[in-house]
Amino acid sequence: MDKEDSRFEGLAGTVKGSFFRSPKWVNNLQPPGMTDQTKSLLEENPFAGFFWGSHIIFSPNLIWLTISLVVYFAFPYDLDMAAFNEAQSQTESLMLSFILVRFFPRFMLNFAVTFTYTLYWHAILYWKTKEPLSRRSFNQARVYRVGKVIHNIYYSTLGIAQWSLWEAVFVHCFASGRLPYLSNNEAVSSLSGLLTFSIWVLIIPFWRSVHFYFAHRLIHLRVLYKYIHSLHHRNVDTEPFSGISMHPVEHLYYFSCFLPSLYFYMSPFALLFNGMHLLLSPVAAHSGWEDHWQSDQYHYLHHRFFECNYGSPGIGFYLDYYMGTFRESLDPNSKSYKGAHVNSRISVEKSQVRVICDKKASLYGIPKTEELLYNSICILILLLSMSSYTRFQSPIASGWLLALGPIVAAIVMETLIGLSTKNARRKYLYPFHRERLFGPLGAHTIFALIFCVLPIYHIIETALTMPGNGPYFYFRGSI
């Protein structure tokens, strides 16, 4: 049987059994990035074969799931308090014990997995070889800059550290009885346990797509983009290490995707799979190349044009398509885009403009005054959040300071020192300033706050209150 017609065609997202071919919808006779992807995205039903796991088996999700399973069973979570209590008795410090027992081992593991995976993709795509595996770069005039890669590795490492911290908090909540969880024995010893385990594995990729769309659109509000998300967009021409190269505040809301493990009864594996998906899926999606296994023209267009394609192929595409923020190709004269970023759609294509923007991805030089001030305020917010509990035993104040503080800080800063303008809506809300508050703008903001801000507050509250008193329990009327 011909490989292309085989029932295994598309396994793990491959094309004709290869990890280094253009997606089937790409017209290789056109320059990279110029194929209109509208038809292929409209024909794709993201829910087709859901219960059979088609969206995992025949997509890159299979690779990330496999890595997650290996990590979960080879390096299991320590869900026992014995080691932690012993460390606390020796160090006489709750924080030091948490760092040594909970955080540091997970950080080293997550760093090793993420860095190895990212370095692999970076090396095969960007380090010259006699027979390159990929040949269709989205940017034919690309100039490799070591400083840019170092910049991205630095901020990616901060992201890995932050996810490891949240993961450690969850493990401590599982181990101390603050969060009930489905044990491995329950998952394999009963039909209900097996179904719970399996269904959440199937749901996680969909949830990732929904959460990413709303979180991403939120930080594209000008007042947040300016101080937070603009760091990620220093990469106009992306490369693998740029995937999670973000401002720590963006990491905060990006990793709030842990929401299901906070509110629902599920296996700790769902948390780990969610985390690995958060760390690994952006890597090849930010490759900058068209002809490989996880080529993502959809998101490359977002970095090139800034104000389009806030979601990802699948559910995110339909949200973008409905809202008029979908862009189909590198052709600046888009037939589908109806957003506000129109005036610069031609100039952003000029190579000189792209190079100037891309050079901002560097650790060299003196940061802008506004950047230093905002970062200092965020550090102050973190310290206040910590002291509000250590001094006043107030998990509520601690949680809200961390969850909402960075957003309030950005709004206050823009109000006090931002450019003066008669159009206040544009100043704070561009490119969504034309949307109605009691309409798309309000709805998107509410969903984003529920999905991104509320979980941060609730995980802090869960970790700092006594077992049995957290959100998981009072939502169920168990208190």
Side-chain angles (χ1 to χ4, degrees), residues 304 345-356:
R304 183 68 67 86
R345 67 181 183 181
I346 303 298
S347 63
V348 78
E349 275 299 291
K350 295 179 181 179
S351 59
Q352 184 179 1
V353 175
R354 294 202 306 268
V355 170
I356 293 173

Side-chain angles (χ1 to χ4, degrees), residues 2 9 13 24 39 51 70 74 101 112 195 207 209 225-226 238 252 288 309 311 316 374 419 440 447-448 478:
D2 186 83
E9 168 60 20
K24 288 184 176 180
K39 182 179 179 182
F51 288 105
V70 171
V101 177
L195 286 174
W207 163 241
S209 183
Y225 179 92
K226 178 179 179 180
T238 58
L252 179 71
N309 297 7
Y374 180 74
L419 294 174
F447 277 115
S478 302

Side-chain angles (χ1 to χ4, degrees), residues 321-465:
Y321 191 76
Y322 176 75
M323 293 304 302
T325 53
F326 166 67
R327 191 181 286 274
E328 70 275 21
S329 72
L330 282 174
D331 184 350
N333 298 307
S334 174
K335 298 177 182 178
S336 60
Y337 182 72
K338 299 178 180 63
H341 193 65
V342 176
N343 295 334
S344 59
R345 67 181 183 181
I346 303 298
S347 63
V348 78
E349 275 299 291
K350 295 179 181 179
S351 59
Q352 184 179 1
V353 175
R354 294 202 306 268
V355 170
I356 293 173
C357 293
D358 211 55
K359 282 187 176 180
K360 294 179 180 178
S362 173
L363 295 177
Y364 304 113
I366 302 174
K368 294 181 179 179
T369 303
E370 289 181 342
E371 181 182 342
L372 284 173
L373 180 58
Y374 180 74
N375 291 343
S376 299
I377 292 173
C378 286
I379 293 173
L380 179 61
I381 289 172
L382 176 61
L383 295 175
L384 287 173
S385 176
M386 295 171 63
S387 65
S388 66
Y389 180 74
T390 56
R391 292 189 177 186
F392 306 109
Q393 299 294 303
S394 176
I396 295 177
S398 182
W400 281 122
L401 273 168
L402 190 61
L404 207 53
I407 294 177
V408 174
I411 295 172
V412 171
M413 272 194 62
E414 188 61 18
T415 301
L416 296 178
I417 65 175
L419 294 174
S420 59
T421 174
K422 294 180 180 180
N423 191 339
R425 285 181 62 89
R426 183 181 178 88
K427 177 179 179 177
Y428 294 98
L429 304 176
Y430 177 88
F432 311 115
H433 54 290
R434 296 172 184 167
E435 294 181 354
R436 291 179 294 111
L437 180 61
F438 295 99
L441 177 62
H444 277 88
T445 303
I446 289 172
F447 277 115
L449 293 176
I450 292 173
F451 291 161
C452 305
V453 174
L454 195 60
I456 300 296
Y457 165 71
H458 277 154
I459 186 58
I460 297 297
E461 183 186 7
T462 299
L464 298 182
T465 54

Side-chain angles (χ1 to χ4, degrees), residues 79 170-183 186 196 260-269 271 462 466-474 476 478:
L79 299 175
F170 268 92
V171 170
H172 190 71
C173 289
F174 290 144
S176 61
R178 289 173 168 83
L179 271 179
Y181 64 92
L182 180 74
S183 68
E186 289 180 276
T196 299
S261 294
L262 181 60
Y263 300 125
F264 298 95
Y265 184 75
M266 61 178 66
S267 167
F269 175 74
L271 175 72
T462 299
M466 295 299 293
N469 291 329
Y472 179 94
F473 297 96
Y474 63 67
R476 289 163 175 75
S478 302

